[in-house]
Amino acid sequence: MSDLVTESVLCIFFSFGLLFSPSFYSQRVLEASIAENKASLKRTHPEVWSDSPNPYDRKRQDNCPVGLKNVGNTCWFSAVIQSLFNLLEFRRLVLNFNPPANAQDLPRNQKEHRNLPFMRELRYLFALLVGSKRKYVDPSRAVEILKDAFKSNDSQQQDVSEFTHKLLDWLEDAFQIKAEEERDGEKPKNPMVELFYGRFLAVGVLEGKKFENTEMFGQYPLQVNGFKDLHECLEAAMIEGEIESLHSENSAKSGQEHWFTELPPVLTFELSRFEFNQALGRPEKIHNKLEFPPILYLDRYMHKNREITRIKRDEIKRLKEYLTVLQQRLERYLSYGSGPKRFPLVDVLQYALEFASSKPVCTSPVDDLGASAPSSGTLPAQTSPSTIDQQGPSSSDVPSTSPVQRSVIHKPFTQSRIPPDLPMHPAPRHITEEELSVLEGCLHRWRTEVENDTRDLQESISRIHRTIELMYSDKTMVQVPYRLHAVLVHEGQANAGHYWAYIYDHHQNRWMKYNDISVTKSTWEELERDSFGGYRNASAYCLMYINDKEQYLIQEEFNKETGQILLGMDTLPSDLRDYVKEDNKRFEKELEEWDAELAQKAQQEKLLSQIPRAPAPSPAPVQAGEPEYLEQPSRTDLSKHLKEDSVQAINKALAEQEDRGPEAIMDTVMLTPNMQGIIMAIGKARNVYDRCGPEAGFFKAIKLEYARLLKLAQEDPPPECDYRLRHAIVYFIQNQAPKKIIERTLLEQFGDHNLSFDERCRNIMKVAQAKLEMIKPDEVNMEEYERWHQDYRNFRETTMFLMVGLEFFQKKSYMEALLYLIYAYQNNKELLSKGPYRGHDEELISHYRRECLLKLNEHAAALFESGDDQEVNNGLIIMNELIVPCLPLLLVDEMEEKDIVAVEDMRNRWCSYLGQEMEPNLQEKLTDFLPKLLDCSTEIKGFNDPPKLPSYSTHELCERYARIMMSLSRTPADGR
């Protein structure tokens, strides 16, 4: 469905029978809309987001408002219905609507055959929004009835105005039938008309003849282009033609004014953000910024205030004319001169003052040249240019045949007249002290006068602006306040886009954002950003204001007997209450079935776990519960790297390479980083061990190892040399883990059973184990200990996601890289929320995640452009399964401006196809796909399970991570 048709639907829903001006859109726009959407009308039911299989994901939380499921390009329906539902008086009218008693005699015509079933489905939908236990409900039945109106027998798009009156008839007639049935000799009142309709008086002159007409209006159309705020739009809409002609007796000019005589309780403005581009032959969206207030005072537009308003308008006109004169005068002060380059006059006077006060310091270009010439000298050092000028060139000045002299003498200064002495900077050549004193006095005085004049002009301009702003702020002009109730926002282009609504919760005094199934708290600042325009492609399309003095519009119902407020299910009539209860029972059954299924799976797993299995061969015993990154290689494993004299080899390395660090010695003897540091520390403590025994040796070794790790933690190595990956304790130190956590971790490393190469290592290992056993339960919080180690395991896992993702990226396997980088970013963000050293560089991961999406988007677009059915389908699969689900991840953080720009680039790439000619099947697929791409919801739709990670030893992980980081560009964030 095109947006031009969709916005008409919005107009009608908002007004429920409001007049729509046929001239508001030109016939060209209607024809273009119809032509562009012929293909989309023939398509089958479009793909929609599937529900989560877990019903708890679809369960309503507390009293959170219920969302509406998008059942296929129906975001417009969701936004409008939610805006009306949250208007409590309208909600009551719909919920308490009873079909006429003679309904069994219907249908008398096709119109009645449609509007009553639609009202029935609307009642059911509103009832579910009130009392459902679901997070969101399905509006398919109401939508299907609506969609019948979009097609005639030959599947051609109806004219916008024809469709407008059709939908208008549904709603008005449904209430009109009931009103006629209940009337008692009086003219029936239609509550829809009472709620949404107003009247204005058109006063004008047509070809010299005055006229007055009273007209009814519903939704009031306003032009956006050329205006900065809502009041400017209204002023332009209320006045047409030559205003002066209205007050003159003999004038052939034409013009008219509109004055509201009766405002509706619910006043809706349609902001015209679409116009027809004659050159391109298609409609385009206007993205200009337009501000609107939360409280709108409409006194100045009321007929009863017309005389006061006319006086104020004349005064504003006079002030604006005077303002224009002042601004022109100020411009001459701020931009002085007649040439292309202009400067503030105060600066020009300052420059003149500085020039007059400058003292000439003369030098010659020849001297300048001599100063910069080679030391061998090509001009006589003592010959002044004045002497040369008087005597003419001497024989010594004639160039010699010597190649040295010929190569360095500059003929222009020897064959032409030497210029006179020149000052080093501009300065007066002849000025007396008296002249300078007079000139300085004048310039100082003129500069002060200009500064004062400029300041006075600026202050006068500010005062006039303030006067204009406050022109309508007196008590008589703030008696008709209208409060902003809902803002309908459209993001996208003229032919495709996404709608959502900001709705004010009048009881909680806060804004809520209704975006299909997602209902979240919001703020006025977020509303401004998305609704005013000029930011991305989002802007307000429709504004709903309500009379702030008519409290019944938003007032809760009260029990007539007890006087208590009625909430939730208590507000529903009995038939709707039963309907909602039945639906809630069905949902509760879903929850019970899900719980039973999970319990059955758990029981099956328990039974399977009790079946005896043959034990898998283990290469070496490992201490129970020991984290993988703390495990040391067993003696069997070490035999691959160490000979029988391995410890002696380390001792020898220590003796010969005392000045080398442990990381360098690891190249000599292959060990894990933890093992390397511990054996080295034991080796360095051998003298203490030999003199004082194992316990003293242990204390010396553990002190040395801690000092080494502390030093590593304080260093700032390049990304490819991340010590946190090598040592958990470095990670703990950098993140300020409790001392007890670090001490226990270090003790466990020294007490590892595999640290038993020789007698000294075994004895120190036994001391460490004894120390571990001496730790009392209350000395170390084991839950906290486990949390720190789990964080470290998460850090290593995040590193693996990042490493594998970057490896795939460098191989240009972008689809494979994307999922790894997504999980790397999400996990890393969670780590960084606990501290700046818990994870990796967020900007780096964000950059490559963004690059993956951009490259995949370009690839998918290229496949779509090929026109081949299989290629087109493959491109849309990439978009639907990879890119679209990722967009909320990029939009959820508003501070990531580059991510937001990337999303806009991807959307604009696909929106650019809207103005191009293409096959009907491509048009159909594009029309189905674009609403998903343009959906601004930040709710995560769901991802595949995290990709499985291979098992890496610490040494292999560090090596591969270093290799990939060294290969990356050092400035990844400089471009996209």
Side-chain angles (χ1 to χ4, degrees):
M1 185 191 313
S2 80
D3 284 314
L4 291 173
V5 175
T6 303
E7 67 180 294
S8 301
V9 181
L10 298 172
C11 298
I12 304 314
F13 262 126
F14 263 117
S15 59
F16 270 81
L18 311 184
L19 294 180
F20 183 87
S21 172
S23 62
F24 186 65
Y25 288 109
S26 69
Q27 185 64 25
R28 292 290 304 279
V29 177
L30 301 181
E31 292 171 356
S33 174
I34 293 169
E36 288 165 359
N37 287 278
K38 285 181 179 178
S40 66
L41 295 171
K42 301 176 184 176
R43 65 178 183 265
T44 58
H45 196 281
E47 180 185 353
V48 297
W49 294 114
S50 58
D51 293 328
S52 168
N54 184 351
Y56 285 96
D57 293 339
R58 296 180 271 116
K59 185 177 180 181
R60 184 179 182 181
Q61 301 297 321
D62 299 326
N63 293 319
C64 181
V66 178
L68 285 172
K69 182 179 179 181
N70 189 330
V71 292
N73 301 344
T74 58
C75 51
W76 53 271
F77 181 88
S78 172
V80 176
I81 287 294
Q82 293 283 19
S83 299
L84 291 170
F85 171 78
N86 283 279
L87 193 61
L88 298 188
E89 176 63 10
F90 182 85
R91 183 195 302 184
R92 282 189 288 269
L93 287 171
V94 172
L95 292 175
N96 295 311
F97 175 83
N98 291 318
N102 59 350
Q104 64 271 15
D105 299 331
L106 299 176
R108 293 175 298 192
N109 53 52
Q110 187 173 353
K111 191 180 295 184
E112 292 176 353
H113 180 71
R114 283 178 174 170
N115 57 38
L116 291 177
F118 178 72
M119 283 302 302
R120 181 183 64 246
E121 295 303 330
L122 193 61
R123 288 184 75 234
Y124 289 154
L125 187 59
F126 272 30
L128 290 173
L129 290 175
V130 169
S132 178
K133 293 185 177 181
R134 304 175 190 267
K135 179 181 178 182
Y136 57 89
V137 294
D138 190 332
S140 296
R141 293 167 66 177
V143 170
E144 286 304 319
I145 296 175
L146 271 178
K147 283 189 174 180
D148 289 340
F150 291 112
K151 302 178 183 179
S152 62
N153 294 332
D154 59 354
S155 295
Q156 294 298 310
Q157 179 69 45
Q158 298 294 315
D159 180 83
V160 172
S161 60
E162 181 182 352
F163 172 80
T164 299
H165 290 295
K166 186 176 296 185
L167 183 57
L168 187 154
D169 287 344
W170 292 3
L171 302 168
E172 284 192 17
D173 285 356
F175 280 92
Q176 191 67 28
I177 294 170
K178 186 66 177 175
E180 289 177 355
E181 185 182 75
E182 296 175 349
R183 72 176 175 175
D184 187 17
E186 299 179 359
K187 185 178 179 180
K189 291 186 177 181
N190 191 314
M192 292 292 104
V193 175
E194 297 291 321
L195 196 59
F196 293 103
Y197 275 106
R199 287 179 173 80
F200 67 83
L201 179 68
V203 183
V205 175
L206 180 61
E207 297 179 354
K209 296 180 179 180
K210 292 187 177 182
F211 67 88
E212 283 191 9
N213 292 323
T214 299
E215 299 181 25
M216 184 174 283
F217 74 94
Q219 183 164 3
Y220 208 84
L222 297 175
Q223 295 292 331
V224 169
N225 216 0
F227 305 108
K228 68 177 184 179
D229 58 41
L230 189 59
H231 276 300
E232 286 192 1
C233 294
L234 276 166
E235 290 282 355
M238 304 298 277
I239 301 172
E240 297 179 13
E242 298 289 337
I243 304 177
E244 290 81 0
S245 64
L246 302 179
H247 314 298
S248 59
E249 293 295 331
N250 300 314
S251 174
K253 295 181 179 180
S254 299
Q256 64 174 309
E257 292 176 336
H258 290 177
W259 298 99
F260 292 131
T261 57
E262 182 182 342
L263 287 171
V266 181
L267 177 60
T268 307
F269 296 111
E270 180 199 317
L271 305 181
S272 175
R273 286 195 171 273
F274 298 94
E275 63 182 4
F276 191 81
N277 187 317
Q278 298 287 348
L280 298 177
R282 67 169 185 260
E284 288 186 337
K285 185 177 178 183
I286 300 169
H287 297 292
N288 296 359
K289 183 176 181 180
L290 184 82
E291 298 179 0
F292 48 84
I295 298 291
L296 179 69
Y297 292 99
L298 293 168
D299 305 75
R300 70 184 80 174
Y301 311 110
M302 300 303 294
H303 182 255
K304 64 181 180 180
N305 296 326
R306 64 188 182 282
E307 297 302 331
I308 299 176
T309 300
R310 283 171 177 166
I311 293 172
K312 290 181 179 291
R313 282 177 180 169
D314 290 342
E315 179 66 13
I316 289 174
K317 182 179 178 182
R318 186 187 65 78
L319 287 172
K320 286 185 175 180
E321 290 173 351
Y322 183 46
L323 185 64
T324 301
V325 173
L326 293 181
Q327 288 173 334
Q328 290 173 349
R329 289 182 60 188
L330 179 63
E331 180 65 20
R332 288 194 289 270
Y333 278 95
L334 299 179
S335 183
Y336 187 78
S338 57
K341 290 186 177 181
R342 296 167 178 261
F343 302 93
L345 181 55
V346 67
D347 291 346
V348 172
L349 294 172
Q350 178 64 29
Y351 299 152
L353 180 60
E354 292 174 359
F355 172 79
S357 304
S358 299
K359 301 296 182 183
V361 178
C362 295
T363 184
S364 168
V366 178
D367 291 342
D368 289 343
L369 182 66
S372 60
S375 57
S376 56
T378 60
L379 291 174
Q382 305 299 323
T383 306
S384 69
S386 58
T387 307
I388 297 173
D389 190 30
Q390 294 170 5
Q391 297 178 355
S394 65
S395 60
S396 62
D397 293 321
V398 178
S400 166
T401 57
S402 166
V404 176
Q405 287 190 348
R406 184 162 48 246
S407 64
V408 294
I409 291 180
H410 295 260
K411 291 186 178 182
F413 288 103
T414 58
Q415 296 183 347
S416 62
R417 181 177 178 83
I418 301 299
D421 292 349
L422 297 175
M424 292 182 65
H425 53 77
R429 287 184 173 276
H430 304 289
I431 186 169
T432 64
E433 291 295 331
E434 183 179 357
E435 290 171 337
L436 179 59
S437 176
V438 172
L439 185 56
E440 283 181 340
C442 291
L443 289 172
H444 272 298
R445 184 176 68 254
W446 296 339
R447 185 174 185 274
T448 302
E449 291 171 356
V450 169
E451 287 177 341
N452 292 335
D453 290 347
T454 302
R455 184 173 57 255
D456 291 343
L457 283 169
Q458 290 172 335
E459 290 175 355
S460 296
I461 290 171
S462 296
R463 281 196 300 271
I464 292 174
H465 276 302
R466 184 65 176 162
T467 302
I468 293 174
E469 289 175 3
L470 298 176
M471 186 64 69
Y472 294 101
S473 63
D474 52 277
K475 190 175 181 180
T476 59
M477 286 295 177
V478 289
Q479 300 301 310
V480 188
Y482 270 68
R483 181 177 296 276
L484 188 61
H485 167 69
V487 179
L488 213 72
V489 180
H490 173 271
E491 179 174 44
Q493 304 299 329
N495 300 88
H498 178 67
Y499 287 95
W500 68 92
Y502 289 102
I503 303 171
Y504 190 68
D505 186 331
H506 299 271
H507 300 283
Q508 298 293 332
N509 294 323
R510 68 188 181 196
W511 285 96
M512 301 292 291
K513 182 177 181 179
Y514 290 78
N515 193 346
D516 291 336
I517 67 173
S518 172
V519 182
T520 55
K521 295 178 184 178
S522 187
T523 62
W524 176 255
E525 289 71 27
E526 183 183 4
L527 185 152
E528 276 187 346
R529 186 198 63 211
D530 287 347
S531 305
F532 281 6
Y535 175 76
R536 304 192 301 199
N537 290 330
S539 53
Y541 157 79
C542 206
L543 307 176
M544 182 186 287
Y545 283 88
I546 61 175
N547 192 324
D548 204 31
K549 293 184 177 181
E550 302 288 353
Q551 289 300 307
Y552 76 94
L553 294 171
I554 55 173
Q555 199 168 40
E556 300 281 6
E557 283 188 86
F558 290 86
N559 187 303
K560 294 179 180 179
E561 296 179 358
T562 64
Q564 293 182 340
I565 295 178
L566 296 177
L567 299 172
M569 297 281 280
D570 294 335
T571 64
L572 300 180
S574 58
D575 63 321
L576 294 180
R577 194 180 305 128
D578 294 339
Y579 176 81
V580 174
K581 286 180 179 178
E582 286 299 317
D583 184 75
N584 285 340
K585 285 180 182 178
R586 287 192 292 270
F587 184 63
E588 288 171 355
K589 187 177 180 181
E590 280 188 63
L591 296 171
E592 292 172 1
E593 290 174 351
W594 177 264
D595 291 338
E597 184 180 347
L598 290 182
Q600 185 179 4
K601 288 182 179 178
Q603 184 66 22
Q604 289 174 350
E605 291 175 359
K606 184 177 180 181
L607 291 173
L608 289 173
S609 65
Q610 294 173 353
I611 298 175
R613 299 181 182 180
S618 176
V622 178
Q623 185 177 349
E626 192 76 6
E628 176 272 331
Y629 49 85
L630 295 183
E631 294 173 8
Q632 310 295 355
S634 67
R635 300 188 72 176
T636 305
D637 294 332
L638 284 172
S639 64
K640 300 175 182 177
H641 306 295
L642 301 177
K643 303 298 182 182
E644 293 179 357
D645 56 347
S646 57
V647 179
Q648 286 78 5
I650 294 174
N651 291 334
K652 182 179 180 182
L654 286 169
E656 294 177 353
Q657 305 178 45
E658 199 69 36
D659 58 333
R660 296 181 64 187
E663 312 304 330
I665 297 178
M666 195 194 312
D667 297 333
T668 306
V669 182
M670 184 64 68
L671 292 170
T672 65
N674 287 334
M675 178 71 74
Q676 171 73 30
I678 291 170
I679 294 179
M680 285 187 58
I682 293 173
K684 288 183 177 180
R686 60 186 180 274
N687 292 333
V688 176
Y689 176 92
D690 292 340
R691 290 198 313 269
C692 306
E695 186 163 356
F698 161 76
F699 281 116
K700 179 64 175 178
I702 201 169
K703 183 178 179 182
L704 288 170
E705 177 63 0
Y706 178 76
R708 181 180 75 88
L709 296 176
L710 180 62
K711 182 179 178 182
L712 292 178
Q714 293 170 343
E715 291 183 8
D716 185 19
E720 63 269 15
C721 185
D722 195 333
Y723 295 131
R724 296 174 300 173
L725 287 175
R726 298 177 180 273
H727 309 284
I729 292 177
V730 171
Y731 182 87
F732 293 159
I733 294 173
Q734 288 188 349
N735 291 289
Q736 299 179 345
K739 185 178 179 182
K740 293 289 185 182
I741 304 295
I742 297 174
E743 289 177 352
R744 183 179 179 90
T745 304
L746 199 54
L747 273 176
E748 287 182 345
Q749 292 182 4
F750 273 84
D752 192 285
H753 284 290
N754 296 315
L755 192 69
S756 54
F757 311 109
D758 60 5
E759 185 179 358
R760 182 166 53 204
C761 289
R762 283 193 295 273
N763 289 337
I764 286 181
M765 175 193 70
K766 291 176 182 178
V767 174
Q769 291 173 347
K771 298 293 183 185
L772 278 170
E773 292 176 359
M774 292 171 61
I775 297 176
K776 297 178 181 179
D778 59 343
E779 290 183 0
V780 178
N781 186 333
M782 291 308 295
E783 290 184 1
E784 185 181 23
Y785 176 85
E786 179 54 35
R787 283 198 300 271
W788 275 97
H789 281 269
Q790 182 59 50
D791 278 355
Y792 184 68
R793 284 190 288 270
N794 292 343
F795 169 71
R796 283 171 61 95
E797 184 180 84
T798 302
T799 304
M800 293 179 199
F801 279 131
L802 174 59
M803 180 183 72
V804 176
L806 292 175
E807 288 174 343
F808 275 124
F809 184 90
Q810 289 199 331
K811 295 174 184 176
K812 299 184 178 180
S813 301
Y814 301 121
M815 284 189 282
E816 292 83 354
L818 181 60
L819 197 56
Y820 284 97
L821 292 173
I822 285 172
Y823 278 98
Y825 184 87
Q826 294 303 112
N827 293 358
N828 192 67
K829 194 173 188 68
E830 185 177 346
L831 287 171
L832 291 179
S833 67
K834 300 178 181 180
Y837 301 106
R838 296 279 187 129
H840 294 285
D841 182 359
E842 186 174 27
E843 189 176 357
L844 180 138
I845 307 176
S846 174
H847 169 76
Y848 283 99
R849 181 187 65 167
R850 187 167 58 245
E851 282 295 309
C852 262
L853 287 167
L854 288 167
K855 292 183 182 298
L856 285 173
N857 186 71
E858 285 301 311
H859 178 57
L863 293 176
F864 183 82
E865 290 173 359
S866 71
D868 179 77
D869 285 345
Q870 185 61 44
E871 297 285 88
V872 169
N873 289 336
N874 290 340
L876 292 178
I877 288 172
I878 292 173
M879 296 301 298
N880 284 319
E881 295 185 2
L882 290 176
I883 292 180
V884 171
C886 288
L887 297 188
L889 298 175
L890 273 66
L891 293 173
V892 71
D893 189 353
E894 296 294 344
M895 300 303 293
E896 290 291 340
E897 185 66 28
K898 291 180 181 178
D899 283 349
I900 294 173
V901 172
V903 171
E904 288 307 304
D905 286 350
M906 289 186 276
R907 287 174 171 169
N908 290 336
R909 182 76 165 85
W910 289 88
C911 286
S912 67
Y913 296 133
L914 291 170
Q916 302 178 19
E917 294 184 3
M918 61 180 68
E919 294 296 325
N921 66 315
L922 292 183
Q923 176 69 43
E924 179 180 340
K925 292 177 180 179
L926 183 65
T927 308
D928 282 343
F929 159 68
L930 274 179
K932 301 171 196 166
L933 181 66
L934 297 172
D935 185 352
C936 290
S937 171
T938 55
E939 180 168 342
I940 310 304
K941 306 292 184 184
F943 279 98
N944 298 326
D945 293 332
K948 291 186 178 180
L949 292 167
S951 178
Y952 296 112
S953 68
T954 299
H955 179 75
E956 185 180 7
L957 174 62
C958 294
E959 188 178 66
R960 291 184 62 172
Y961 182 75
R963 187 163 56 245
I964 191 67
M965 295 304 292
M966 289 179 68
S967 66
L968 297 182
S969 167
R970 296 303 182 186
T971 55
D974 286 345
R976 295 180 4 268

